[in-house]
Amino acid sequence: LEERSSTVDVNLNNKKTIELRIFATPANKLEFNIRMQFVKAMIEYCKPAIHSVSLEQQTYFKSFVTWLDNTKKDFKELHNYIKESTICA
């Protein structure tokens, strides 16, 4: 990535970390929790060899939501947010 790392969504400049810069400042604690659960869920979801569906199918939002339904105890606020939002309609 370019040197202007403050304008990129994913900062890979540090060899030991990956910094996601995709969120605006949260308005409240619930919004913060949802965002952090999303990051954790994406890490878990992207781990290799945990899926019984093809790699192509894993890239579909519906596949992620199905996985989230099965792991909702770990991502309660994120799960509720996605289920209540219009993005699943």
Side-chain angles (χ1 to χ4, degrees):
L1 298 177
E2 296 179 20
E3 286 299 313
R4 53 189 189 94
S5 62
S6 64
T7 62
V8 296
D9 293 336
V10 180
N11 178 7
L12 302 173
N13 289 333
N14 187 329
K15 292 181 181 181
K16 295 183 180 184
T17 62
I18 297 173
E19 179 182 0
L20 299 175
R21 296 177 173 172
I22 57 175
F23 305 118
T25 303
N28 53 53
K29 186 176 182 200
L30 175 61
E31 198 172 287
F32 176 81
N33 289 345
I34 289 168
R35 292 173 181 181
M36 293 301 101
Q37 287 177 19
F38 174 74
V39 171
K40 182 179 178 189
M42 291 308 305
I43 292 167
E44 293 296 318
Y45 182 74
C46 292
K47 284 184 178 177
I50 64 166
H51 300 283
S52 59
V53 297
S54 71
L55 182 60
E56 179 183 1
Q57 289 176 323
Q58 290 175 42
T59 63
Y60 297 127
F61 182 71
K62 183 178 179 183
S63 180
F64 174 71
V65 172
T66 300
W67 174 85
L68 194 59
D69 283 340
N70 295 327
T71 59
K72 62 186 167 195
K73 68 178 177 59
D74 296 324
F75 308 103
K76 292 175 187 172
E77 293 157 322
L78 174 64
H79 180 265
N80 291 338
Y81 173 77
I82 289 178
K83 286 300 182 181
E84 294 169 2
S85 73
T86 57
I87 57 177
C88 287

